[in-house]
Amino acid sequence: MTNVSTSLPQVRPPAYDPRLVRAAVAMNENDLPTAEPLLRSLLKDDPFDVRAIRLFAELAGRIGRYQDAENLLRRAIELAPQFTAARANLALVLYRTNRAPEALEELARVTADDPENAGHANLQAAAYGRIGEFDEALALYEQVLRQAPNQPRVWMSYGHMLKTVGRQAEGITAYRKAIELLPVLGEAWWSLANLKTVKFSDDDITFMQAALARDDVTPEDRWHLDFSLGKAFEDRGEAEAAFKHYAAGNELRRRRMPYRAQDTTASVDAAIAVFTPSSIASLAGQGCEAPDPIFVLGMPRAGSTLVEQILASHSQVEGTSELSDIGFLARQVEGYPAALADLPDGELRKLGEAYLTRTRVQRHTARPLFIDKMPNNWLHVPFIHAILPNAKIVDARRHPLACCFSNFKQHFARGQGFSYSLDDMGRYYRDYVRAMAHFDRVLPGVVHRVIYERIVDDTETEVRALLAHCNLPFEPACLSFHETARAVRTASSEQVRRPIFREGNEVWKSFEAWLGPLKTALGDVLEAYPEAPTAL
């Protein structure tokens, strides 16, 4: 998925109330504990102060409380409809909560009121990219860069979009321009590394090491630089140096993104307890009958983008992206998953219809079927089958050491909390296998499994089986998937534009000396692969 640098507009301290000035200064310094009581005090005295409401909304957004931020911003706009800054903040909250069409509606008003603000156009471009309107996105980035060519983060976002549509050489140029303007911009270095096709030069490594040695490098730039240097040394066959940087980047990222492996285990336990043969039977026949979606799910870095590209090369299938809608709809069911059995008649059908409505914006062709490639949907397989019983589900699976180490050296723009620790990774992979083994038992034949190593070794046989599961006739284009021209918004975007290659399967072996915690956490899942252990 395309990542974009989007920060709320710079706070300018108003000159009216000293508390508002102090709160604004604290927000600029990211001193939220100081800002919060000042804003609460202000709003207690004057609940209609839209400047304080907007600042409080920004504070809520910074700690991830986006619903609170949205409510506050809508209140500010209700009180002051011409408060353009609050409307721009609302557009950003909507974008960050995967509601790009609504963000674009707000941005249309914002840009009419403030047409010279390049930041608004940058967010518009990102929102267009989120819904697959890539031509509009590229045109807006180009407009911004004509007006203000010395913005490294906009060059980087432009590079993301160029990469997505397959214009790799131009994307590299854009990333290099961002680095030229801001050499410590770690994400731009990682964007080059993440193409998987760029080999860093001696000078590149020297520049990155110098940036990493600086005292003023932000934690975000630091972990991006570590991941990039890991890739640079891995390409040179220097496994120990590479692993050192991968481990440093992961540890820093992990401290900023708390993840509790036991929470995933508890979610799997709950799903196994709830989704029994009898409960599955009680949900049957209540969903939306539309056959449109094909869900490709499983672990990240397990070949899901390859499966998507093969399917999207078929004349009846449209590729979209990793869509967050299933998780969103599941969260709307209070008491999920146990509460599914208590939903009133018609609710499962409405949820399936809601999914189709929410994802329609991602569809840009007349092809009858489309792909949702969100890997984390594996936990929701029974929910998907209940609300969309005619949808097809494909589980992309790869050797646990190859898959997990590939995740460990991959920095995800949106974050996959389990991926920043070898122990957490092994436990997550184990829980995923455990859940899917249960779903196979209670929903026999619903999930088709694609084993990455098999599709590499015998592509045509596996592609034919995949298409048969999706009730699609064989088409030769599915074997020439790398020739299919389409936008790809994931870390594997450049890899699937090449024929199938085998060299990635053995990369982990160079790092095996450091993978002990991963092996221990995987346990018998490692020995049983590609099957699930019988004891799970």
Side-chain angles (χ1 to χ4, degrees), residues 401 422 426 508 512-513 515-524 526-527:
L401 294 179
L422 291 172
W508 64 270
E512 189 169 9
L515 300 186
L518 173 59
K519 291 181 178 181
T520 300
L522 287 167
D524 55 359
L526 178 56
E527 286 76 32

Side-chain angles (χ1 to χ4, degrees), residues 324-335:
S324 61
D325 303 275
I326 286 294
F328 172 84
L329 292 170
R331 288 190 295 274
Q332 304 314 298
V333 180
E334 188 174 353

Side-chain angles (χ1 to χ4, degrees), residues 402-417:
C403 179
C404 291
F405 181 66
S406 185
N407 276 276
F408 188 71
K409 64 180 187 171
Q410 176 71 45
H411 177 260
F412 295 95
R414 297 178 62 191
Q416 294 278 10

Side-chain angles (χ1 to χ4, degrees), residues 102-158:
E102 295 174 62
L104 286 166
E105 290 178 14
E106 298 298 336
L107 285 166
R109 296 187 61 175
V110 169
T111 52
D113 293 340
D114 187 11
E116 301 304 316
N117 190 316
H120 301 332
N122 190 35
L123 180 56
Q124 265 189 311
Y128 275 125
R130 182 71 60 84
I131 61 173
E133 298 287 354
F134 301 111
D135 290 342
E136 289 84 350
L138 288 166
L140 273 169
Y141 281 128
E142 288 157 8
Q143 173 191 318
V144 170
L145 291 168
R146 280 195 298 271
Q147 295 172 348
N150 294 322
Q151 298 193 66
R153 295 185 186 278
V154 179
W155 277 106
M156 182 175 67
S157 297
Y158 182 44

Side-chain angles (χ1 to χ4, degrees), residues 90-102:
L90 176 60
L92 179 55
V93 168
L94 293 169
Y95 172 82
R96 286 179 170 168
T97 52
N98 294 305
R99 292 148 71 190
E102 295 174 62

